[in-house]
């Protein structure tokens, strides 16, 4: 079974500054995906960024980037130039790849509430 | 159209009521999912449908009954619920359920959810 741990229940940052959210995971799988999802007050789960475990290069999406350390099983999210609209709950998530019983099952961490202050 | 639409947005029901949640997508996806999310907790998978057939039931009580009438529509029928079933119910879809490298099937698109309160 996979576990995902987010050790920061809450974080805050000033607008335009940079913040890093931490995530560690445990798995015996070699092929998998890692994700960061954002859930604003509207409650919709929005995919922020995804990383394929077989790729060494860290994923980036505009102001969002990850630091993926496969050996350490660490997957942190860096948000640059934070904006008020980034205020949300952020979930780190794991999904097995290569079929079997993965069937799109996401295993989520407990979440980090991020507040961006003006 | 990259939306997953869920109705209703809010639902209040008594423990003896029967109600249904509806989820619709028009992206041609062949996999659809129900997740349950309690307040301030992460979502947890309930059911997976692949090509309109139930593929995974994560040991969900029988008072929750999923149905997939066609590839675009997913229902969750509710009967004799308990107050502890109050939660946000999220629907999601993906191209297919089988996740393999290079398929993009790992991308789940979520709806905005139905906030359910059981009195």
């Amino acid at each position: 079974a996979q576990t995902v741990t987010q050790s920061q229940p809450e974080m805050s940052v000033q607008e335009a500054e940079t913040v890093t959210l931490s995530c560690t995971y445990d798995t015996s799988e070699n092929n998998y995906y890692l994700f960061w999802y954002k859930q604003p007050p509207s409650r919709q789960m929005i995919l922020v960024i995804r990383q394929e475990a077989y790729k060494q290069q860290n994923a980036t999406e505009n102001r969002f980037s990850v630091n993926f350390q496969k050996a350490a099983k660490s997957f942190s999210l860096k948000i640059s130039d934070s904006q008020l609209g980034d205020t949300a709950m952020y979930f780190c998530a794991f999904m097995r790849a290569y079929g079997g019983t993965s069937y799109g099952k996401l295993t989520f961490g407990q979440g980090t509430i991020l507040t961006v202050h003006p | 159209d990259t939306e997953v639409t869920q109705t209703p947005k809010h639902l209040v029901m008594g423990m003896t009521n029967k109600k249904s949640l509806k989820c619709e997508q028009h992206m041609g996806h062949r996999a659809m999912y129900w997740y349950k999310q309690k307040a301030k907790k992460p979502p947890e998978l309930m059911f997976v449908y692949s090509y309109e057939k139930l593929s995974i039931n994560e040991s969900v009580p029988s008072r929750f009954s999923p149905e997939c009438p066609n590839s675009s529509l997913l229902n969750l029928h509710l009967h004799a619920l308990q107050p502890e079933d109050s939660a946000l119910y999220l629907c999601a879809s993906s191209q297919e359920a089988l996740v393999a490298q290079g398929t993009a099937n790992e991308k789940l698109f979520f709806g905005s959810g139905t906030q359910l309160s059981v009195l």
Side-chain angles (χ1 to χ4, degrees):
Chain A
Q2 288 72 228
T3 59
V4 179
T5 303
Q6 293 178 249
S7 59
Q8 304 152 316
E10 295 188 39
M11 295 276 288
S12 65
V13 64
Q14 292 296 125
E15 200 174 6
E17 293 187 348
T18 295
V19 64
T20 298
L21 308 184
S22 301
C23 173
T24 58
Y25 60 96
D26 189 25
T27 183
S28 58
E29 302 286 336
N30 195 43
N31 297 304
Y32 49 88
Y33 292 92
L34 294 165
F35 306 85
W36 280 97
Y37 277 89
K38 165 185 176 180
Q39 189 174 39
S42 66
R43 308 296 300 271
Q44 183 168 14
M45 296 291 286
I46 301 167
L47 178 61
V48 174
I49 197 165
R50 100 188 200 286
Q51 176 79 42
E52 293 146 310
Y54 66 90
K55 288 187 176 178
Q56 290 188 336
Q57 187 174 3
N58 289 326
T60 63
E61 287 285 343
N62 301 313
R63 299 183 294 108
F64 300 88
S65 61
V66 298
N67 183 3
F68 173 49
Q69 302 288 328
K70 190 172 183 180
K73 294 180 181 172
S74 170
F75 183 61
S76 61
L77 174 70
K78 186 171 84 170
I79 306 174
S80 304
D81 186 25
S82 296
Q83 299 175 0
L84 296 178
D86 295 333
T87 293
M89 172 83 92
Y90 286 80
F91 290 101
C92 179
F94 173 101
M95 183 189 288
R96 289 177 57 196
Y98 286 103
T101 58
S102 59
Y103 278 96
K105 177 177 180 176
L106 284 163
T107 300
F108 290 92
Q110 291 299 306
T112 297
I113 299 172
L114 175 68
T115 303
V116 180
H117 298 286
Chain B
D1 184 359
T2 57
E3 280 193 0
V4 175
T5 304
Q6 289 188 245
T7 54
K9 291 194 184 305
H10 301 274
L11 179 63
V12 179
M13 60 186 291
M15 290 189 283
T16 58
N17 292 156
K18 286 184 182 181
K19 297 286 185 183
S20 296
L21 310 184
K22 179 180 173 182
C23 173
E24 202 162 2
Q25 56 86 15
H26 296 287
M27 294 179 277
H29 289 173
R30 303 313 300 267
M32 296 187 77
Y33 311 82
W34 282 114
Y35 278 80
K36 173 182 177 179
Q37 185 178 19
K38 301 282 277 183
K40 299 188 188 298
K41 296 290 186 183
E44 294 179 336
L45 181 67
M46 299 175 72
F47 302 104
V48 178
Y49 270 84
S50 177
Y51 287 86
E52 296 139 60
K53 287 189 168 52
L54 183 64
S55 297
I56 291 183
N57 175 342
E58 292 281 295
S59 302
V60 178
S62 60
R63 58 185 184 268
F64 295 90
S65 176
E67 178 197 21
C68 190
N70 59 59
S71 60
S72 299
L73 190 55
L74 183 67
N75 298 319
L76 186 62
H77 302 298
L78 314 172
H79 174 53
L81 294 193
Q82 303 297 309
E84 59 264 29
D85 296 322
S86 298
L88 181 71
Y89 289 84
L90 291 162
C91 175
S93 70
S94 64
Q95 289 181 8
E96 290 195 17
L98 199 63
V99 179
Q101 186 175 316
T103 63
N105 293 341
E106 76 284 358
K107 291 185 180 177
L108 265 62
F109 293 78
F110 283 86
S112 296
T114 294
Q115 184 64 54
L116 174 68
S117 297
V118 182
L119 304 179

